[in-house]
Amino acid sequence: MSKLEYPQPEGVAPGNGYSHVVTGAGQWVAIAGQVALDADGNLVGEGDFEAQTRQVFANLDAALKAAGATWADVVKLNLFLTDITGLPAIRQVRDQYVDTANPPASTAVQVVGLFRPEALVEIEAYAVI
């Protein structure tokens, strides 16, 4: 497991469920944006942010394991949502995976659409192991 640090930048308000800065030395792992597709390529949870987010985090978890990483190694999450009102559902699921005392840096962006019209959320992750 990597040794990560979470310095709080001076003059910047604390993040709401995310860290502004995460540093650490080790091997860089980049995980492509994951959507709510199951192992057979079927969309999970059409029209349901929470159900889609659960599948997205399950996919991210599998990708981290494939790289020899854990959620403790994640330094950055980029969230793409078709409707920013889905952010609370994403945070609820995310908090079941990340260390909420030292969460990764994070960016949330509302987008017009994703690769399929019924996809509501896509999340990519970066880790240092």
Side-chain angles (χ1 to χ4, degrees), residues 26-118:
Q27 179 183 351
W28 181 253
V29 177
I31 299 173
Q34 297 296 304
V35 294
L37 296 180
D38 65 15
D40 296 321
N42 299 311
L43 186 80
V44 173
E46 188 168 344
D48 184 337
F49 259 102
E50 184 177 343
Q52 287 198 20
T53 301
R54 287 192 186 290
Q55 182 64 50
V56 167
F57 272 87
N59 293 350
L60 289 168
D61 191 58
L64 286 167
K65 287 176 183 170
T70 70
W71 283 97
D73 302 314
V74 174
V75 296
K76 179 78 162 82
L77 293 173
N78 291 325
L79 296 74
F80 304 95
L81 304 81
T82 58
D83 183 347
I84 203 70
T85 63
L87 194 55
I90 291 172
R91 287 178 175 156
Q92 180 182 2
V93 175
R94 177 205 60 200
D95 289 353
Q96 295 171 19
Y97 287 86
V98 304
D99 176 0
T100 57
N102 291 304
S106 183
T107 299
V109 179
Q110 181 171 308
V111 296
V112 172
L114 297 169
F115 87 112
R116 285 172 54 172
E118 62 273 22

Side-chain angles (χ1 to χ4, degrees), residues 1-7 21-29 72-76 126-129:
M1 182 164 69
S2 64
K3 297 211 180 239
L4 301 178
E5 295 180 19
Y6 303 84
V21 181
V22 182
T23 65
Q27 179 183 351
W28 181 253
V29 177
D73 302 314
V74 174
V75 296
K76 179 78 162 82
Y126 298 94
V128 176
I129 55 174

